[in-house]
Amino acid sequence: MILADFQACTGIDNIAEAITLLELNNWDLVAAINGVIPQENGIFQSEATAPVPSAPPSSESASASSSSSPPSSSSPAFCPVQPSRHILERQSRMLSFRVEYRQRSTEVVLEDASTVGDIKSILETELQVPVSKMQLKGWKSGDVSDSTVLRSLHLPKNNSLYVLTPDIAPSASTSQSRYGDCHPVFYIGSLEAASQEAFYGKARDRKLLAIYLHNDESVLGNVFCSQMMCADSIVSYLSQNFITWAWDVTKEANKARLLTMCTRHFGSVVAQTIRTYKTDQFPLLLIVMGKRTSNEVLNVIQGNTTVDELMMRLMGAMEIFTAQQQEDIKDEDEREAREMVKREQDEAYRLSLEADRKKREAQEREEAEQVRQERIRKEQEEEREAIRLSLEQALPPEPKEEGGEPVSKLRIRTPSGEFLERRFLGSCKLQVLFDFIASKGYPSDEFKLLTTFPRRNITQIDPAWSLVEAKLFPQETLFLEAKE
């Protein structure tokens, strides 16, 4: 009902934004509305919420009425004045910003008609930081541009922001801790990044996460920081075994952001636990251990402790963590061993398949080459056979031994030892003899035709000569020899 009344009076439709504004004012409806709609404009005042009496009250009764308790939000006259959005936008509101930069805090006050860039311009003068190197953070709506009008952000009257300058290195004076040089090494980054660093590496590299929550309004803050967190033994032990992350919950806005982060990363129980601690119980040191399914808070150490007790509780958490870590290392080693065996098997199988593939491809190439060679051989044989048949058919008929013309009888020994015998006319050209030999499978480009004695290479003689001119008449014994 408070949320509905707040939205009705302010015209803020965004539920998340409305809840944030109410939480900043501890759900005090009047304070929350006055933070958005200032009292001096007469838009919402406590007197306006009172029921209208039937008769005008006296000044004394009006004073008594105004000093009485605030009207209930359930009153039907709770919000008699509900201005339209265009009226609200025409009214100027003064907004206050407390801006943190390293060890400095700067107050900036300006109208809500100003822009984010106007704040940066003021900060440039105050902090001596160029606007181009300045990142203004802490907006509840996320990052905004320099041209964003403040009124469009529906901000409360008092706001907290901080400046980041990643391109400007901190000086020695700003980087020194106000509690001394000996202090834990805090993780620079978000809580999510710190959790990733602590919990999600290899089991041997994991650490506990120590979340330090500081509150400047607690009387224990200075004592805990200077005597406990800056003790050599504590600093050394935290540095070796923990990822240490810090957060300041002095401001309610920061605390609300922390509770949101804790709910997201550790569950609502942790956030509710932090919420139950009062200001004078801070600082707090949460010891968180990562587990397979969820993260577990092992210990919540309050500010009212001693160095010895703090060390004992850190060591106790470390014992629990070490036992869990050894189990995780064993499981991880076994898993990696199984994965290694599987990788080796997969690699051996891949190599086997590769070898089979290469062998099959080589066999296929060999078979293809054999087929090709066989085809070529066949074509060559067919070609030679065609030539042989052509030569055989073109040969003149063998003359009779007792014919009228001179006849030469030739006896030719083949490389296999067989003899070819045939009669030729003495006037026949040597080409006819060469064609005859080729028709028997011994072409002159592969074989030499030789006489026995004296040894002569007949294939070197002009094929136009006759047998008589070549002195192969009336008879001769010749032999064939393969050319080299």
Side-chain angles (χ1 to χ4, degrees):
M1 185 177 293
I2 293 175
L3 175 62
D5 289 339
F6 178 74
Q7 288 183 289
C9 288
T10 61
I12 296 176
D13 297 329
N14 190 311
I15 295 178
E17 180 183 351
I19 291 175
T20 301
L21 294 173
L22 286 168
E23 286 184 344
L24 289 176
N25 292 277
N26 294 322
W27 289 86
D28 185 329
L29 185 58
V30 174
I33 294 176
N34 285 335
V36 178
I37 307 174
Q39 294 182 13
E40 56 267 27
N41 292 331
I43 295 177
F44 182 82
Q45 298 178 6
S46 59
E47 290 83 2
T49 63
V52 179
S54 56
S58 64
S59 59
E60 296 173 343
S61 64
S63 173
S65 175
S66 62
S67 61
S68 62
S69 60
S72 169
S73 61
S74 61
S75 170
F78 178 72
C79 189
V81 180
Q82 184 174 343
S84 62
R85 297 194 67 88
H86 71 274
I87 295 177
L88 286 175
E89 291 176 356
R90 287 200 301 269
Q91 296 166 340
S92 293
R93 294 176 56 219
M94 299 304 294
L95 301 178
S96 176
F97 296 89
R98 184 178 180 182
V99 184
E100 303 286 343
Y101 176 59
R102 293 179 179 173
Q103 301 300 322
R104 296 185 57 180
S105 179
T106 304
E107 295 289 339
V108 178
V109 179
L110 70 175
E111 294 183 354
D112 62 355
S114 305
T115 64
V116 175
D118 296 333
I119 301 179
K120 287 188 175 182
S121 298
I122 297 173
L123 292 174
E124 182 177 30
T125 304
E126 294 290 330
L127 304 177
Q128 299 300 310
V129 174
V131 172
S132 60
K133 297 183 179 295
M134 184 189 306
Q135 297 180 11
L136 193 57
K137 302 288 186 178
W139 304 102
K140 294 180 176 59
S141 58
D143 289 342
V144 296
S145 65
D146 290 356
S147 60
T148 302
V149 179
L150 299 177
R151 181 182 296 139
S152 66
L153 299 177
H154 305 294
L155 298 172
K157 185 173 183 179
N158 298 311
N159 302 271
S160 296
L161 302 174
Y162 60 96
V163 171
L164 295 180
T165 53
D167 296 334
I168 301 178
S171 62
S173 60
T174 59
S175 61
Q176 184 177 6
S177 171
R178 64 174 170 173
Y179 298 108
D181 294 332
C182 182
H183 56 79
V185 179
F186 292 105
Y187 183 88
I188 305 300
S190 64
L191 179 58
E192 181 179 5
S195 302
Q196 290 283 342
E197 180 77 12
F199 305 149
Y200 298 107
K202 285 189 169 293
R204 286 179 174 80
D205 301 330
R206 293 172 193 162
K207 292 184 177 183
L208 286 168
L209 177 62
I211 301 177
Y212 173 69
L213 303 181
H214 184 80
N215 193 322
D216 261 346
E217 296 177 357
S218 172
V219 295
L220 298 174
N222 287 335
V223 176
F224 188 85
C225 289
S226 59
Q227 297 184 12
M228 261 60 90
M229 292 297 286
C230 292
D232 290 340
S233 58
I234 300 297
V235 171
S236 176
Y237 198 75
L238 285 173
S239 300
Q240 292 176 7
N241 303 294
F242 292 77
I243 297 294
T244 307
W245 185 81
W247 189 262
D248 191 336
V249 296
T250 305
K251 300 181 193 295
E252 284 298 323
N254 281 359
K255 187 175 182 180
R257 289 176 61 191
L258 174 72
L259 295 176
T260 301
M261 290 186 288
C262 288
T263 301
R264 182 166 64 249
H265 297 298
F266 309 127
S268 59
V269 176
V270 176
Q272 184 61 33
T273 301
I274 297 173
R275 192 179 282 110
T276 59
Y277 284 97
K278 299 179 180 178
T279 300
D280 57 2
Q281 293 176 297
F282 281 80
L284 300 179
L285 189 63
L286 280 67
I287 308 301
V288 186
M289 181 176 72
K291 285 195 169 184
R292 294 182 181 89
T293 55
S294 62
N295 301 322
E296 177 183 355
V297 177
L298 297 180
N299 219 327
V300 180
I301 304 172
Q302 299 181 33
N304 56 344
T305 185
T306 64
V307 173
D308 292 339
E309 183 180 354
L310 175 59
M311 178 60 75
M312 288 181 60
R313 296 182 73 172
L314 291 177
M315 293 175 66
M318 193 64 194
E319 288 180 5
I320 298 174
F321 170 73
T322 302
Q324 181 64 50
Q325 186 183 37
Q326 293 303 317
E327 292 183 9
D328 292 342
I329 291 174
K330 180 181 177 182
D331 293 343
E332 189 175 79
D333 289 345
E334 291 176 353
R335 182 174 64 255
E336 289 181 353
R338 291 194 299 270
E339 292 176 353
M340 176 64 73
V341 171
K342 186 176 183 303
R343 284 196 298 269
E344 291 176 350
Q345 291 175 343
D346 291 344
E347 181 65 13
Y349 181 66
R350 187 189 68 80
L351 292 175
S352 175
L353 290 178
E354 183 71 12
D356 291 343
R357 183 184 64 79
K358 290 182 178 179
K359 183 177 179 181
R360 184 172 62 254
E361 289 177 353
Q363 184 176 358
E364 290 174 354
R365 286 195 301 269
E366 183 179 353
E367 291 175 353
E369 181 64 19
Q370 289 177 353
V371 170
R372 189 180 73 84
Q373 293 294 340
E374 179 66 21
R375 186 178 67 253
I376 292 174
R377 187 188 62 79
K378 229 180 222 191
E379 290 175 353
Q380 290 175 345
E381 286 183 356
E382 290 175 355
E383 184 179 358
R384 283 198 296 267
E385 180 63 18
I387 293 173
R388 188 191 68 79
L389 290 174
S390 174
L391 293 174
E392 188 176 54
Q393 293 173 1
L395 285 174
E398 184 178 4
K400 294 182 179 180
E401 191 172 354
E402 298 177 352
E405 297 183 33
V407 175
S408 178
K409 186 175 182 181
L410 301 179
R411 195 165 184 262
I412 306 166
R413 183 167 62 85
T414 65
S416 63
E418 298 179 354
F419 284 92
L420 302 175
E421 295 183 357
R422 193 181 192 278
R423 296 184 298 273
F424 298 89
L425 293 175
S427 58
C428 275
K429 307 297 183 184
L430 284 177
Q431 186 60 56
V432 177
L433 174 60
F434 296 156
D435 291 344
F436 168 73
I437 297 171
S439 69
K440 299 301 182 182
Y442 304 98
S444 56
D445 56 346
E446 298 179 16
F447 294 89
K448 297 183 291 186
L449 182 61
L450 306 172
T451 58
T452 54
F453 186 82
R455 183 183 174 90
R456 289 186 303 153
N457 187 352
I458 304 301
T459 51
Q460 292 181 346
I461 300 176
D462 188 353
W465 283 16
S466 66
L467 296 180
V468 174
E469 291 173 333
K471 298 181 180 178
L472 298 179
F473 179 83
Q475 61 182 17
E476 187 66 53
T477 299
L478 308 169
F479 65 94
L480 292 169
E481 185 178 276
K483 290 184 178 181
E484 295 181 358

